[in-house]
Amino acid sequence: MTRIASHRGGTLEFGDSTPQGFAATAGMALEEVEFDVHPTADGAIVVHHDPTLDATTDSSGAIAELTLAAIKSATIRYGAGANPLTLEELCAIYAPSHVGFRCEIKPGIDGMPYEDFVPRVVSVLAQHGMLERTAFSSFLVRSLDELARATARPRLWLVSPPVLRQLGAETVIEVAKAHGIPEVGVHIDTADLALQDVFVSAGIDFGCWAAHHREQIDKALSLQVKVFTTDRPTLAIARRNGFHGKGAA
Ligand code: FE
C-alpha cells in the first residue's frame, strides 16, 4: 500500500507546521508525518519549514540567529494563535501515536547545511524514543552523508525538478548509489511510470512529494509509489480508501 505522509502536519488543512496540524495528524489513519527542522541561536531545535519566521508567522528573522524564547513568541499564520514547536515537543505529541516521523534536514538561509546540526537532531530523537520511528529526508546530498555517519535510519533524497532535469535519472541514480542513498522522492508533477521504472529497476525506492491536489494524489496512488507527501492528509486518506475500495470491487 502506498504510504501517506502529512506534509508539515497538513499545511492546506491546518496551516504550515502548526501544533494543531501535528496533533491532528498523530490521530490519522496514515503512516508518516513530514516536518522540517532548524537550529536556534541558543541550541534548541525548532520544527518549521522556512529558515526564517517571515513568511509563515507574525514575526521575522532567521531561526538560527534567534533565541528559542523569541521564536516561541511568534504566532504561526492560520495556526489559531499557536507558536512554533520544538523537536522535543513534537516527539511528545507522537510518543503515543502510531504515525512515524519523516524528518527533513533543512539548510540555513544561505542554502548551506547548518554546522554539526545532524548529530544533534539524531540525538534528540534518540533521547525521546523517536529515532527508531524516524526516516530522514533532505534535498542536500551533504546532509544525507552526515545522516549516514550519524545513524543507520533510512534516508531519502528529495530530487527537485531542476536537479532531475539537469542530471537526468541515470545520473541521479549514480549519485544515489555513490552515496549509499536507497530512496529518492521527486515532485509529483515530474513523476510517471517510466521514470519510476528506471529508479525501481536500479534498486532505488521511489516516492513523490507535493501531491496536494486531488489529481496529484490520485496520480501518486495509481503509480503505487512507495510514499507521497501531501498538504491535504485528510483528502489523501479518503482518496486512498476509495482507490482501494474500487480496486477490490
Ligand atoms: Fe519538508
Side-chain angles (χ1 to χ4, degrees), residues 139 157-166 172 185-187 190 209:
F139 284 97
W157 181 16
L158 297 163
V159 179
S160 70
V163 167
L164 181 60
R165 202 161 44 239
Q166 287 165 25
V172 167
V186 304
H187 191 288
T190 64
W209 43 275

Side-chain angles (χ1 to χ4, degrees), residues 7-8 34-36 49 104 106 137 139 158:
H7 185 235
R8 308 184 205 169
E34 192 271 356
F35 61 92
D36 312 279
H49 178 264
E104 182 179 349
K106 281 288 188 201
S137 65
F139 284 97
L158 297 163

Side-chain angles (χ1 to χ4, degrees), residues 58-81:
D58 65 350
S59 190
S60 63
I63 290 172
E65 294 167 6
L66 294 169
T67 62
L68 179 60
I71 292 157
K72 276 290 184 186
S73 72
T75 300
I76 306 172
R77 295 192 207 288
Y78 311 107

Side-chain angles (χ1 to χ4, degrees), residues 37 64-65 73 128 134 170 174 190 198 225 233 240-241:
V37 284
E65 294 167 6
S73 72
H128 292 81
T134 300
E170 295 296 345
E174 275 177 35
T190 64
V198 170
V225 297
R240 184 170 69 178
N241 288 343

Side-chain angles (χ1 to χ4, degrees), residues 2 164 169 173 186-202 204-208 218-226 243:
T2 294
L164 181 60
I173 289 166
V186 304
H187 191 288
I188 184 66
D189 294 345
T190 64
D192 60 29
L193 207 49
L195 184 70
Q196 178 172 241
D197 282 347
V198 170
F199 282 102
V200 171
S201 303
I204 305 281
D205 287 344
F206 183 82
C208 294
D218 287 356
K219 181 182 177 184
L221 290 168
S222 64
L223 284 172
Q224 297 183 278
V225 297
K226 179 179 176 185
F243 189 85

Side-chain angles (χ1 to χ4, degrees), residues 109-213:
I109 204 166
D110 58 358
M112 298 299 289
Y114 297 112
E115 290 301 323
D116 303 321
F117 181 49
V118 163
R120 288 174 47 211
V121 173
V122 169
S123 163
V124 167
L125 290 167
Q127 279 165 31
H128 292 81
M130 287 301 293
L131 184 60
E132 294 311 308
R133 292 166 54 193
T134 300
F136 293 92
S137 65
S138 187
F139 284 97
L140 286 79
V141 171
R142 198 179 120 190
S143 294
L144 295 167
D145 286 345
E146 290 171 2
L147 281 162
R149 290 192 288 273
T151 176
R153 295 300 301 159
R155 293 168 300 133
L156 177 156
W157 181 16
L158 297 163
V159 179
S160 70
V163 167
L164 181 60
R165 202 161 44 239
Q166 287 165 25
L167 295 185
E170 295 296 345
T171 303
V172 167
I173 289 166
E174 275 177 35
V175 173
K177 294 207 167 203
H179 291 262
I181 300 165
E183 181 171 354
V184 300
V186 304
H187 191 288
I188 184 66
D189 294 345
T190 64
D192 60 29
L193 207 49
L195 184 70
Q196 178 172 241
D197 282 347
V198 170
F199 282 102
V200 171
S201 303
I204 305 281
D205 287 344
F206 183 82
C208 294
W209 43 275
H212 305 317
H213 305 296

